[in-house]
Amino acid sequence: MTWRSKLSYILLGASIPIALVGITVGVFYHSLKVRPPAPPPDVPASLPWGAVDLETFHTDDASGLQETIAASFKSEQASDFDSNRDGVKEYDLLALSGGGSYGAFGAGVLCGWSERGTRPDFKVVTGVSTGSLQATPAFLGKDYDALMRRLYTEIESADIYEKRSLIDGLISDGTMDTAPLRRLLDKAIDDKVLAAVAAKHLSGHRLFVGTTNMDASDFVMWDMGAIAASKRPDARQRYIDVLVASCSVPVLFPPVYFDVNVGGKRYFEMHADGGAEAQVFFRGFMLDLEDALNDAGINLARVKARLFIIRNGKADDRHMYAAVEPRTVSIASATIEKLFKISSTASLYRIYVLASRYHIAFNLRCIPANYPLTFDSLDFNSAGMQKLFDVGYKMAKDGDDWLKAPPGLDPDELFRKSATKTGTMADD
């Protein structure tokens, strides 16, 4: 055995106890960092303030979502959402999907749409994961396109997260620290922006963001306009907490805790990325729409609605090789990405079915199938994001081409108006 081989064995032998000591210290340190008190098991989940009840076990009782939508209709002026002054309400709805740094595409679509001059004033906007970050400027309109552009073309990964050490990442609540994202949002969502969201909410518009309640394994919808308009001293903090939670990819990013009252005691729910349940959502609005219109005294036959979905990913998820490194984080990331793709496909199909049922025009935009994505969705590469932003911008500025059904459907699965004319709302 050469002296170099002997030295290598000596160094290896010395490093093992050092590593074991480091791991032991790390485990002991994190054992002191216990989570806040979790809700007791086998007890019905409660809602944190700002979240809305999506359903009720008593069919005669209105859900919280139905109530806030009905209130939005009652807040409208007679001429609102009636551009032709013909007495027919025309509602435009927007759903923004997850997709990480690929959200640059959706940001470009919205800004290019503004430049074209045909971007609607949306009645309802929903967002999940990266879509939740787009949702606020999208909800507020083209005057906030500069904020949208800044969030998706002038940042790097370091503005979103910091990588934790190997040991810290393995034994803590995430491999990354999202403190940079909090700082970014603290600057972006200032008191002026919060006041603008509140004003829009009070004028009859609605903004919803989705998270996943990890303790109850359930999707949670947050009424962001109601939070902004609450006048509570912690309203801005709650608003930012919800956005961070919606973006917190499980395993990779730490969850966010929200306090709830259960049996007169205070507990804390663990919330993470809403994309774990639905990569894009609008089902709640459509399921409660009919009842909400009735509550508001609006004739269903005098309503038209268009739904626009921006998927921050490709329409054609054909199986292509993308080598995965043989490391825990890489394999976990690939697994999570695959699960989110499945969630996205299922969400789109469900929305399409409901939109067809209620005669809501379905419109979908995705990253072109032939566009070469050269960076990962968790890589916030400003150069790559700028190019992707430009693709979305040009697509929206130069044309009105939207997919009328989710990709991959068999022609026999598509709805035909002649066969499904059972709804009550007017067709386009």
Side-chain angles (χ1 to χ4, degrees), residues 43 66 92 115 119 123 141-142 158 160-161 168 191 223 226 229 235 239 331 355 406 423:
V43 173
Q66 180 182 325
D92 289 301
E115 183 66 22
R119 178 171 151 189
K123 170 69 176 179
K142 63 180 182 181
I160 303 297
Y161 57 80
D168 199 25
D191 290 335
D223 193 337
Y239 197 101
I331 295 172

Side-chain angles (χ1 to χ4, degrees), residues 135-156:
T136 296
F139 180 69
L140 295 177
K142 63 180 182 181
D143 291 344
Y144 286 80
D145 281 357
L147 172 60
M148 179 89 71
R149 185 187 293 266
R150 188 163 67 249
L151 287 174
Y152 284 93
T153 63
E154 299 179 12
I155 63 169
E156 299 283 351

Side-chain angles (χ1 to χ4, degrees), residues 94 110-111 114 119-122 125 134-148 196-197 200 205:
L94 175 67
L110 288 161
C111 291
S114 295
R119 178 171 151 189
D121 177 25
F122 297 108
V125 175
Q134 299 171 332
T136 296
F139 180 69
L140 295 177
K142 63 180 182 181
D143 291 344
Y144 286 80
D145 281 357
L147 172 60
M148 179 89 71
V197 172
K200 192 100 175 181
H205 299 72

Side-chain angles (χ1 to χ4, degrees), residues 197-341:
V197 172
K200 192 100 175 181
H201 175 83
L202 295 173
S203 69
H205 299 72
R206 289 295 180 266
L207 171 61
F208 299 113
V209 163
T211 65
T212 298
N213 180 345
M214 302 296 285
D215 292 317
S217 188
D218 197 15
F219 187 76
V220 177
M221 188 184 296
W222 300 80
D223 193 337
M224 304 301 281
I227 293 173
S230 67
K231 298 184 179 179
R232 289 178 55 133
D234 58 345
R236 193 166 78 92
Q237 183 62 52
R238 177 53 56 101
Y239 197 101
I240 292 172
D241 284 346
V242 172
L243 295 182
V244 173
S246 187
C247 297
S248 295
V249 182
V251 180
L252 302 182
F253 296 160
V256 178
Y257 295 95
F258 295 98
D259 61 304
V260 292
N261 186 295
V262 180
K265 294 183 179 180
R266 191 184 190 203
Y267 297 98
F268 293 84
E269 295 177 346
M270 177 190 287
H271 285 246
D273 192 336
E277 289 283 338
Q279 273 288 296
V280 59
F281 71 96
F282 229 101
R283 62 184 186 273
F285 175 86
M286 289 187 288
L287 288 173
D288 285 346
L289 176 60
E290 189 170 348
D291 290 336
L293 286 169
N294 283 327
D295 288 348
I298 299 176
N299 185 346
L300 300 181
R302 305 296 292 170
V303 171
K304 288 184 178 181
R306 298 185 299 176
L307 172 61
F308 297 92
I309 302 172
I310 297 177
R311 181 183 178 186
N312 292 301
K314 289 193 175 184
D316 184 5
D317 283 330
R318 288 176 293 182
H319 298 292
M320 306 289 283
Y321 284 117
V324 178
E325 295 296 325
R327 296 196 302 269
T328 301
V329 173
S330 298
I331 295 172
S333 298
T335 302
I336 292 169
E337 185 174 354
K338 178 59 179 176
L339 291 174
F340 278 10
K341 281 184 178 180

